[in-house]
Amino acid sequence: MSRDAVEQLARRSYDWRKRLHDDQSYWLTGQRAADVLGVNRARLNQLADRGFVPYVTHDDGTRLYRREQLEVVANARQARWR
């Protein structure tokens, strides 16, 4: 399966509630994603709405953020301010 196909399946069937406290989870939700970026939830939503932070929407409406992408954004922000 391609990565896109796996992510499409995840949008329907991934039980993100079971992974809320998993430090190795591929997907993060709201507050955990905000924590990785060092921002509050409102700022995370602004960044996501403007396309600066990619996410997918689970069928239940929950935004799912890829941990790896958040870490890249967070590292870029830190490097920019040094």
Side-chain angles (χ1 to χ4, degrees):
M1 288 180 90
S2 70
R3 179 178 175 168
D4 288 337
V6 171
E7 290 190 358
Q8 287 294 329
L9 181 61
R11 289 179 184 191
R12 290 189 306 265
S13 60
Y14 182 74
D15 190 356
W16 55 267
R17 289 170 193 87
K18 288 184 178 180
R19 304 276 185 187
L20 284 176
H21 304 290
D22 180 357
D23 291 335
Q24 302 303 315
S25 178
Y26 179 83
W27 298 106
L28 297 178
T29 56
Q31 190 58 53
R32 301 271 323 269
D35 291 344
V36 169
L37 293 179
V39 300
N40 62 37
R41 293 271 310 264
R43 182 65 178 146
L44 172 67
N45 289 335
Q46 288 175 344
L47 293 169
D49 290 342
R50 292 180 182 158
F52 295 119
V53 177
Y55 67 93
V56 299
T57 305
H58 191 277
D59 281 356
D60 69 5
T62 303
R63 286 183 178 182
L64 300 174
Y65 301 87
R66 294 171 194 91
R67 174 188 300 279
E68 186 175 291
Q69 288 179 326
L70 292 171
E71 290 171 350
V72 168
V73 172
N75 290 337
R77 286 184 70 221
Q78 288 177 345
R80 184 175 172 195
W81 297 110
R82 285 187 183 166

